[in-house]
Amino acid sequence: MFRQLLLQIGGANIENLLPWRSCWRDIGLEACIYSAQVIPAQVRAWAQEHLKSEIIAIEPVGGGRTATISAVYLRRGEPVVLRYVSIERWGEIGRQHVSCEALGCRLMEGSSLPVPHLIASDPDGSRAGDYANLTTWLPGRVRLGPLSLDAIDELAKIAVIIHGTPVDDDHRPRPYEFWTPDDLEVPSWTSRPKLWQRAIHLFDQGAPPTRNGLVHRDFHPGNILWEGDRITGVIDWAETSWGPADLDVMHSRANFVMLHDLDSADAFSDAYRWHGGLLDDDHDAQVFWAISDILGFLPEPTQIITALIHHRTDLPDQVVRERLEHLLMITLGEIRH
């Protein structure tokens, strides 16, 4: 829902890719930084209440049209990260975004994963005046180029750990939501309308009874920080949900295909299973979950992954579309890999 709203107000957002200053410096995205959002005095005061050192500056990190992530610089110590979401602008969706991120961080607290520590959260805006989270800073950078097999293996291990995290009923996150447009239609850019009509028909049959558990729900290489082939951060928990692990795996596969190739996608899902990850073993269920994610990139995949391909000049719109359609053809058995 949140991602679809971004499209409605004018484009994808860079914040999912670039939560930390070290990232955009390393991959040369200074030109992508938008004009600074104004952090209300009440939000700044709320943040200061939870910090031991004086705030000396707050600067937007990433941007896009949401402009909800800022780096908070302190007189002493490392910076922290502020997610400030205007109640007036985002309403219930903004509250959900902040609440999910806070819950995701709490659920992973004490795990072996490098996840931001939640310093403070105001999911109803009663103290900060708007929805807000304050989290620790993590080192590393986002990698936009192809990943080595060792790196893909590390990414798969991370996914298995997330999906294996026990969650009691009292702390279960909200049920997952599909990211398909409300007015789901065959994309205007395709030369294979019957392919997409078939996918939409299968999706309309409804989800299979696949086992649910904790899912990141936006798990893909763009939400991972690295130092070499070592993962230093698993970020952007704003879509934390309760649903099938297949959602995260299929989302990663689609991103690998659009950014790189099908071999990388297969390497990821193979490594996921190798490390004990559990996916629905029913073929029709596998097709459904793959289709549900592919359709979530409509009507225009390049608008969904704008931040990820911003500096990939080798990925014009048509290439991204063709790769996504190729994945759909393989999923539906129209061609063999």
Side-chain angles (χ1 to χ4, degrees), residues 1-15 34 63-67 89-90 299-300 302-307 310:
M1 179 187 296
F2 189 78
R3 202 166 58 151
Q4 295 304 322
L5 181 59
L6 295 182
L7 291 177
Q8 293 170 14
I9 65 170
N13 90 50
I14 289 176
E15 70 174 83
Y34 287 68
R65 294 185 182 271
T66 56
R89 184 174 186 185
W90 295 107
E300 176 52 70
T302 57
Q303 291 182 3
I304 299 293
I305 64 170
T306 297
H310 190 88

Side-chain angles (χ1 to χ4, degrees), residues 26-87:
D26 286 342
I27 58 179
L29 293 182
E30 291 89 341
C32 297
I33 304 304
Y34 287 68
S35 57
Q37 62 174 322
V38 177
I39 302 297
Q42 187 174 349
V43 176
R44 183 181 179 122
W46 170 82
Q48 185 64 77
E49 288 178 10
H50 298 280
L51 298 170
K52 296 180 180 179
S53 181
E54 179 188 358
I55 295 174
I56 57 174
I58 301 179
E59 296 181 6
V61 180
R65 294 185 182 271
T66 56
T68 60
I69 298 292
S70 293
V72 179
Y73 296 96
L74 308 176
R75 189 165 299 281
R76 294 183 304 277
E78 293 183 331
V80 296
V81 178
L82 171 68
R83 184 186 292 270
Y84 152 65
V85 183
S86 167
I87 292 177

Side-chain angles (χ1 to χ4, degrees), residues 90-278:
W90 295 107
E92 174 60 20
I93 292 176
R95 186 200 65 76
Q96 185 180 93
H97 207 203
V98 167
S99 297
C100 287
E101 179 182 58
L103 178 58
C105 291
R106 290 188 179 113
L107 289 174
M108 300 312 300
E109 189 79 29
S111 76
S112 60
L113 300 189
V115 173
H117 169 70
L118 184 69
I119 300 171
S121 180
D122 188 3
D124 59 9
S126 59
R127 298 294 302 275
D130 285 292
Y131 309 127
N133 281 336
L134 201 62
T135 60
T136 53
W137 174 90
L138 293 175
R141 59 186 291 268
V142 172
R143 294 174 59 178
L144 299 183
L147 298 179
S148 67
L149 289 178
D150 286 342
I152 291 175
D153 190 69
E154 288 300 309
L155 189 63
K157 288 180 185 177
I158 293 291
V160 171
I161 293 172
I162 293 172
H163 300 152
T165 300
V167 180
D168 61 53
D169 292 344
D170 292 338
H171 297 94
R172 183 174 294 184
R174 66 185 178 92
Y176 72 92
E177 296 177 348
F178 289 115
W179 288 340
T180 51
D182 292 335
D183 53 345
L184 184 57
E185 298 178 348
V186 172
S188 60
W189 44 263
T190 185
S191 61
R192 300 175 180 274
K194 291 184 178 179
L195 173 74
W196 291 92
Q197 288 169 355
R198 182 184 169 198
I200 292 171
H201 173 73
L202 290 173
F203 176 74
D204 287 341
Q205 304 309 301
T210 304
R211 177 182 178 273
N212 289 343
L214 178 67
V215 290
H216 181 281
R217 193 59 185 103
D218 196 15
F219 191 82
H220 61 81
N223 279 332
I224 303 295
L225 302 179
W226 302 83
E227 290 181 351
D229 283 348
R230 183 175 66 89
I231 293 175
T232 58
V234 184
I235 57 178
D236 197 359
W237 292 81
E239 298 285 354
T240 301
S241 304
W242 191 253
D246 306 62
L247 287 167
D248 280 351
V249 173
M250 295 305 175
H251 192 53
S252 292
R253 283 180 56 82
N255 276 271
F256 270 121
V257 167
M258 288 185 287
L259 292 173
H260 307 304
D261 51 46
L262 188 60
D263 287 341
S264 297
D266 287 345
F268 173 77
S269 50
D270 288 347
Y272 179 83
R273 291 187 179 92
W274 174 260
H275 289 293
L278 299 177

